[in-house]
PDB file of all heavy atoms in Angstrom:
ATOM      1  N   GLU A 148      10.271 350.078  37.627  1.00  0.00           N
ATOM      2  CA  GLU A 148       9.254 349.151  38.365  1.00  0.00           C
ATOM      3  C   GLU A 148       9.535 349.317  39.951  1.00  0.00           C
ATOM      4  O   GLU A 148      10.250 348.672  40.528  1.00  0.00           O
ATOM      5  CB  GLU A 148       9.624 347.700  38.103  1.00  0.00           C
ATOM      6  CG  GLU A 148       9.437 347.254  36.570  1.00  0.00           C
ATOM      7  CD  GLU A 148       9.642 345.858  36.399  1.00  0.00           C
ATOM      8  OE1 GLU A 148       8.909 345.100  36.959  1.00  0.00           O
ATOM      9  OE2 GLU A 148      10.547 345.479  35.675  1.00  0.00           O
ATOM     10  N   LYS A 149       8.854 350.323  40.420  1.00  0.00           N
ATOM     11  CA  LYS A 149       8.958 350.730  41.743  1.00  0.00           C
ATOM     12  C   LYS A 149       8.344 349.576  42.641  1.00  0.00           C
ATOM     13  O   LYS A 149       7.271 349.008  42.346  1.00  0.00           O
ATOM     14  CB  LYS A 149       8.117 352.012  42.080  1.00  0.00           C
ATOM     15  CG  LYS A 149       8.738 353.254  41.380  1.00  0.00           C
ATOM     16  CD  LYS A 149      10.107 353.626  41.839  1.00  0.00           C
ATOM     17  CE  LYS A 149      10.633 354.769  41.287  1.00  0.00           C
ATOM     18  NZ  LYS A 149      11.972 355.113  41.669  1.00  0.00           N
ATOM     19  N   GLN A 150       9.042 349.165  43.731  1.00  0.00           N
ATOM     20  CA  GLN A 150       8.526 348.183  44.578  1.00  0.00           C
ATOM     21  C   GLN A 150       7.532 348.637  45.651  1.00  0.00           C
ATOM     22  O   GLN A 150       7.863 349.069  46.734  1.00  0.00           O
ATOM     23  CB  GLN A 150       9.690 347.560  45.308  1.00  0.00           C
ATOM     24  CG  GLN A 150      10.720 346.757  44.376  1.00  0.00           C
ATOM     25  CD  GLN A 150      11.793 346.221  45.128  1.00  0.00           C
ATOM     26  OE1 GLN A 150      11.477 345.352  46.010  1.00  0.00           O
ATOM     27  NE2 GLN A 150      13.049 346.431  44.771  1.00  0.00           N
ATOM     28  N   GLU A 151       6.242 348.809  45.112  1.00  0.00           N
ATOM     29  CA  GLU A 151       5.231 349.357  45.979  1.00  0.00           C
ATOM     30  C   GLU A 151       4.626 348.148  46.673  1.00  0.00           C
ATOM     31  O   GLU A 151       5.194 347.120  46.814  1.00  0.00           O
ATOM     32  CB  GLU A 151       4.214 350.081  45.130  1.00  0.00           C
ATOM     33  CG  GLU A 151       4.799 351.346  44.399  1.00  0.00           C
ATOM     34  CD  GLU A 151       3.897 351.812  43.359  1.00  0.00           C
ATOM     35  OE1 GLU A 151       2.777 351.293  43.154  1.00  0.00           O
ATOM     36  OE2 GLU A 151       4.265 352.929  42.728  1.00  0.00           O
ATOM     37  N   GLU A 152       3.432 348.358  47.246  1.00  0.00           N
ATOM     38  CA  GLU A 152       2.677 347.265  47.931  1.00  0.00           C
ATOM     39  C   GLU A 152       2.446 346.175  46.937  1.00  0.00           C
ATOM     40  O   GLU A 152       1.614 346.427  46.073  1.00  0.00           O
ATOM     41  CB  GLU A 152       1.398 347.797  48.511  1.00  0.00           C
ATOM     42  CG  GLU A 152       1.546 348.770  49.653  1.00  0.00           C
ATOM     43  CD  GLU A 152       2.172 348.155  50.856  1.00  0.00           C
ATOM     44  OE1 GLU A 152       1.928 346.938  51.084  1.00  0.00           O
ATOM     45  OE2 GLU A 152       3.010 348.706  51.603  1.00  0.00           O
ATOM     46  N   GLU A 153       3.049 345.063  47.039  1.00  0.00           N
ATOM     47  CA  GLU A 153       2.933 343.959  45.949  1.00  0.00           C
ATOM     48  C   GLU A 153       2.617 342.688  46.706  1.00  0.00           C
ATOM     49  O   GLU A 153       2.826 342.452  47.850  1.00  0.00           O
ATOM     50  CB  GLU A 153       4.075 343.904  45.101  1.00  0.00           C
ATOM     51  CG  GLU A 153       5.410 344.090  45.734  1.00  0.00           C
ATOM     52  CD  GLU A 153       6.531 343.788  44.875  1.00  0.00           C
ATOM     53  OE1 GLU A 153       6.833 344.588  43.985  1.00  0.00           O
ATOM     54  OE2 GLU A 153       7.114 342.681  45.110  1.00  0.00           O
ATOM     55  N   LYS A 154       1.899 341.746  45.965  1.00  0.00           N
ATOM     56  CA  LYS A 154       1.534 340.476  46.555  1.00  0.00           C
ATOM     57  C   LYS A 154       2.929 339.754  46.779  1.00  0.00           C
ATOM     58  O   LYS A 154       3.828 339.988  46.023  1.00  0.00           O
ATOM     59  CB  LYS A 154       0.606 339.776  45.661  1.00  0.00           C
ATOM     60  CG  LYS A 154      -0.743 340.321  45.529  1.00  0.00           C
ATOM     61  CD  LYS A 154      -1.595 339.557  44.533  1.00  0.00           C
ATOM     62  CE  LYS A 154      -2.897 340.254  44.398  1.00  0.00           C
ATOM     63  NZ  LYS A 154      -3.786 339.488  43.510  1.00  0.00           N
ATOM     64  N   ILE A 155       2.787 338.687  47.654  1.00  0.00           N
ATOM     65  CA  ILE A 155       3.981 337.839  47.846  1.00  0.00           C
ATOM     66  C   ILE A 155       4.371 337.093  46.638  1.00  0.00           C
ATOM     67  O   ILE A 155       5.540 336.848  46.368  1.00  0.00           O
ATOM     68  CB  ILE A 155       3.801 336.983  49.126  1.00  0.00           C
ATOM     69  CG1 ILE A 155       5.154 336.544  49.624  1.00  0.00           C
ATOM     70  CG2 ILE A 155       2.817 335.894  48.721  1.00  0.00           C
ATOM     71  CD1 ILE A 155       5.917 337.626  50.228  1.00  0.00           C
ATOM     72  N   ILE A 156       3.444 336.639  45.832  1.00  0.00           N
ATOM     73  CA  ILE A 156       3.776 335.988  44.561  1.00  0.00           C
ATOM     74  C   ILE A 156       3.871 337.043  43.533  1.00  0.00           C
ATOM     75  O   ILE A 156       2.868 337.453  43.094  1.00  0.00           O
ATOM     76  CB  ILE A 156       2.739 334.938  44.188  1.00  0.00           C
ATOM     77  CG1 ILE A 156       2.511 333.960  45.339  1.00  0.00           C
ATOM     78  CG2 ILE A 156       3.043 334.232  42.943  1.00  0.00           C
ATOM     79  CD1 ILE A 156       3.801 333.214  45.770  1.00  0.00           C
ATOM     80  N   LYS A 157       5.083 337.385  43.141  1.00  0.00           N
ATOM     81  CA  LYS A 157       5.381 338.584  42.181  1.00  0.00           C
ATOM     82  C   LYS A 157       5.110 338.132  40.776  1.00  0.00           C
ATOM     83  O   LYS A 157       5.367 337.021  40.272  1.00  0.00           O
ATOM     84  CB  LYS A 157       6.732 339.070  42.283  1.00  0.00           C
ATOM     85  CG  LYS A 157       7.100 339.466  43.749  1.00  0.00           C
ATOM     86  CD  LYS A 157       8.436 340.059  43.869  1.00  0.00           C
ATOM     87  CE  LYS A 157       9.566 339.022  43.513  1.00  0.00           C
ATOM     88  NZ  LYS A 157       9.611 337.978  44.571  1.00  0.00           N
ATOM     89  N   GLU A 158       4.539 339.088  39.985  1.00  0.00           N
ATOM     90  CA  GLU A 158       4.427 339.002  38.601  1.00  0.00           C
ATOM     91  C   GLU A 158       5.767 339.367  37.764  1.00  0.00           C
ATOM     92  O   GLU A 158       5.974 338.885  36.758  1.00  0.00           O
ATOM     93  CB  GLU A 158       3.333 339.707  38.035  1.00  0.00           C
ATOM     94  CG  GLU A 158       1.914 339.302  38.567  1.00  0.00           C
ATOM     95  CD  GLU A 158       0.840 340.105  37.960  1.00  0.00           C
ATOM     96  OE1 GLU A 158       1.033 341.002  37.111  1.00  0.00           O
ATOM     97  OE2 GLU A 158      -0.336 339.891  38.260  1.00  0.00           O
ATOM     98  N   ARG A 159       6.519 340.189  38.518  1.00  0.00           N
ATOM     99  CA  ARG A 159       7.836 340.640  37.944  1.00  0.00           C
ATOM    100  C   ARG A 159       8.987 339.547  38.379  1.00  0.00           C
ATOM    101  O   ARG A 159       8.797 338.950  39.420  1.00  0.00           O
ATOM    102  CB  ARG A 159       8.153 341.994  38.397  1.00  0.00           C
ATOM    103  CG  ARG A 159       8.460 341.982  39.878  1.00  0.00           C
ATOM    104  CD  ARG A 159       9.196 343.390  40.258  1.00  0.00           C
ATOM    105  NE  ARG A 159       9.290 343.450  41.744  1.00  0.00           N
ATOM    106  CZ  ARG A 159      10.215 342.918  42.368  1.00  0.00           C
ATOM    107  NH1 ARG A 159      11.128 342.069  41.839  1.00  0.00           N
ATOM    108  NH2 ARG A 159      10.333 343.067  43.788  1.00  0.00           N
ATOM    109  N   PRO A 160       9.954 339.421  37.554  1.00  0.00           N
ATOM    110  CA  PRO A 160      11.146 338.667  37.932  1.00  0.00           C
ATOM    111  C   PRO A 160      11.871 339.302  39.166  1.00  0.00           C
ATOM    112  O   PRO A 160      11.633 340.492  39.411  1.00  0.00           O
ATOM    113  CB  PRO A 160      12.107 338.671  36.772  1.00  0.00           C
ATOM    114  CG  PRO A 160      11.231 339.075  35.595  1.00  0.00           C
ATOM    115  CD  PRO A 160      10.237 339.931  36.209  1.00  0.00           C
ATOM    116  N   ILE A 161      12.590 338.562  39.922  1.00  0.00           N
ATOM    117  CA  ILE A 161      13.377 339.034  41.014  1.00  0.00           C
ATOM    118  C   ILE A 161      14.511 340.039  40.680  1.00  0.00           C
ATOM    119  O   ILE A 161      14.850 340.020  39.511  1.00  0.00           O
ATOM    120  CB  ILE A 161      13.962 337.859  41.800  1.00  0.00           C
ATOM    121  CG1 ILE A 161      14.756 336.979  40.923  1.00  0.00           C
ATOM    122  CG2 ILE A 161      12.859 337.005  42.439  1.00  0.00           C
ATOM    123  CD1 ILE A 161      15.710 336.104  41.689  1.00  0.00           C
ATOM    124  N   PHE A 162      14.943 340.882  41.581  1.00  0.00           N
ATOM    125  CA  PHE A 162      16.033 341.716  41.447  1.00  0.00           C
ATOM    126  C   PHE A 162      17.180 340.965  42.091  1.00  0.00           C
ATOM    127  O   PHE A 162      17.280 340.719  43.199  1.00  0.00           O
ATOM    128  CB  PHE A 162      15.862 343.030  42.126  1.00  0.00           C
ATOM    129  CG  PHE A 162      14.837 343.992  41.309  1.00  0.00           C
ATOM    130  CD1 PHE A 162      13.708 344.321  41.964  1.00  0.00           C
ATOM    131  CD2 PHE A 162      15.079 344.347  40.112  1.00  0.00           C
ATOM    132  CE1 PHE A 162      12.828 345.170  41.319  1.00  0.00           C
ATOM    133  CE2 PHE A 162      14.260 345.201  39.458  1.00  0.00           C
ATOM    134  CZ  PHE A 162      13.102 345.550  40.055  1.00  0.00           C
TER     135      PHE A 162
END
Side-chain angles (χ1 to χ4, degrees):
E148 299 186 62
K149 296 292 182 185
Q150 296 185 53
E151 300 170 356
E152 292 294 324
E153 32 174 83
K154 294 180 180 178
I155 199 67
I156 304 301
K157 303 185 294 292
E158 293 182 1
R159 63 164 176 81
I161 56 171
F162 288 115

